[in-house]
Amino acid sequence: MSITSGPSRDLDPVGAGSTGPRSGRGSRMLGRRAVLVSTASTVVFFAVIAGAIALAPGSRLVGERFFSWTHIERAAPEVAEAFLLNIRMFVTAEIFILVLGLLIAVTRGLPGPVFFPLRALAVVYTDIFRGVPLILVLYLIGFGVPGLGLQYFSSRSDVTYGIVALVLVYSAYVAEVYRAGIDSIHDSQISAARSLGLSRWQSLRFVVLPQAIRRVIPPLLNDFIGLQKDTALVSVLGSIEAARAAQIYGAEQFNYASYVVAAALFVIITIPLARFTDHLIERDRRRRAAGSVA
Amino acid sequence: MKQLVRTGIAVISVVLVLAACAEEDPAASAAGGSGSEEPSCDVSSPPLLEDGVLTVATDRPAYPPWFEGSPKNYSGFEGELASEIANRMNLDIKWVVEPFNKSYAPGDKDYDFDINQISITPEREQAVDFSDGYFNDNQGVLALQDSPIVDATTLADLKEARLGTQVGTTSLQFIDDVIQPSTDAKVYDTTNDVKSALESGQLDGLVTDVVTTVYLRDFEIDNSVVVGQYPTEEPFGMIFEQGNPLRLCVNQVLDEMKDDGSLQALQEEWLQDYLGVPTLTD
């Protein structure tokens, strides 16, 4: 967002009032030129790269092994079907992650000496699960828990274990994101809320969290996108998701085009989210700017 | 909005460029498809990566009885077969590591050939050149003694089982196309992971080549049984970069070894045990 329209905004930080409508049209024209320039530079940039790749001595072979249209078409249905499992996993996991992460962040902020054990637990939790590689957590949960031979917990499906591992690791990241948001709310707001007669819980619920969460939506989406891609790792536990389906196709046909299909699917689902994040950042910026003028 | 338009244009140009790349493709693959025709190989001066040395690749970890000992000096069936080939060509042998999934990557190879229990299939022959087959393997099914499929005698007995195998193997095709179980096969990165899943009760049966199942039963997995083998008779071949004439030298040596019985002797020495495994019927 800020790439094209950033400079003009910085020159006129207080308000558009003085320059009026002219600035609007001016920036639009500037924008149109910027579009042309950026299009031209994009085309040249990729043409140069494509040229370099096309002229490379092994380009025919690489093209055949990675971008063969026949293989892309043949791999697409299997990989796309497997991708549904990725979607199922990251949607389910994300719901638990958002709840658990918030719980941990709030626990970590509990005041008073009584809550020390809970606070300590929250700290240890984030330290451990942010530090341990996801793949190890997956193995521990996916092969360790069923190995324990417990009645209920040891007979779940590998996808369930995979989702649990994802939730454990990502809620640690997300808790830190929430915490950053909560810490960014000035103490005076809590004082004000308390002096209005709100309880500690009420001021958290109605004053701090609504603002904090709105501020951290972009980094939360960032972690969500990371989560989407990491669902591919759950395949180590046995289920066939998109990346694994691509690998299977690749090994059968000795061709990597299936990975290109999987990559395209991940990208296709990521791009709308990225644009949505941009939109949220922009909206928030506008809102706050409007607020400061008023 | 502007941003959207710009992104749109950028994406379109990328797609156009990719499309341009893809268009070149069919002609190119037509040109490259058919490998070398059969001129013979001059065994006295074979085309090698390194003079006087036969550089042979396999994956790591390498499993007995295919490989035993250290990469400096592998024995085992495939280890000794490669050494014997080097020997008969008057070459020293050097082992390098090549993960299975990389064995069909384009580009220069840092080995002369790869030997790693790789089944020869028509699809794969599109991408690499194989030597002649040096062993015909069957699929095997391994289970723990308390598994529901431990008494299976036919493929139909395996229909309800939760089966697992290593990714990229023909065992997966065997499960999907021949057994066709009601639950989808589970697929793991390595044989070790399949083993973990079997031991922790996530699977009823592990499917891989029968020689490996016998090895796992005897040395790796306590209380396990090889339920049976199915005669798929898949030939294993060594992988060469497409058009590498060394393949012809190796095939000549393999022919010699078949004729004088030394290939048979190696098979009997290392792969004997699987012979006692019962055969699963259709």
Side-chain angles (χ1 to χ4, degrees), chain A residues 1 4 35 38-39 42 46 50 60-61 63-66 68-69 139 143 146-147 156 158 161 235-240 244 247-248 250-256 275, chain B residues 2-4 6-7 9-10 13-14 17 25 28-29 32 100-102 104-107 123-124 127-128 167-168 172-173 185-189 193 196-197 200 202 239:
Chain A
M1 275 297 136
T4 42
V35 169
S38 66
T39 309
T42 309
F46 283 104
R60 181 190 60 77
L61 201 56
E64 202 176 284
R65 252 2 115 69
F66 286 87
S68 147
W69 188 248
Y139 276 132
F143 291 147
R156 301 297 96 199
D158 56 298
Y161 293 125
S235 64
V236 299
L237 300 181
S239 278
I240 299 173
R244 178 69 92 201
Q247 194 183 1
I248 290 169
E252 266 173 34
Q253 305 286 336
F254 276 17
N255 192 290
Y256 298 96
R275 293 293 78 79
Chain B
K2 238 181 286 163
Q3 180 72 18
L4 278 179
R6 273 173 5 108
T7 316
I9 291 170
S13 34
V14 175
V17 169
D25 195 45
S29 55
F100 171 75
N101 285 316
K102 201 184 143 215
Y104 52 95
E123 294 87 1
R124 289 172 172 180
V128 296
V167 67
L172 180 62
Q173 282 156 292
K186 297 288 173 190
V187 179
Y188 302 84
D189 282 323
D193 286 351
S196 302
S200 66
Q202 296 278 92
I239 288 188

Side-chain angles (χ1 to χ4, degrees), chain B residues 9-27:
Chain B
I9 291 170
V11 168
I12 288 166
S13 34
V14 175
V15 169
L16 283 178
V17 169
L18 282 181
C21 293
E23 261 171 44
E24 294 166 14
D25 195 45

Side-chain angles (χ1 to χ4, degrees), chain B residues 143-145 198-199 216-225:
Chain B
L144 296 183
Q145 248 145 19
L198 184 77
E199 286 176 321
L216 290 172
R217 178 196 67 193
D218 293 345
F219 298 101
E220 297 261 329
I221 307 180
D222 294 338
N223 299 320
S224 63
V225 181

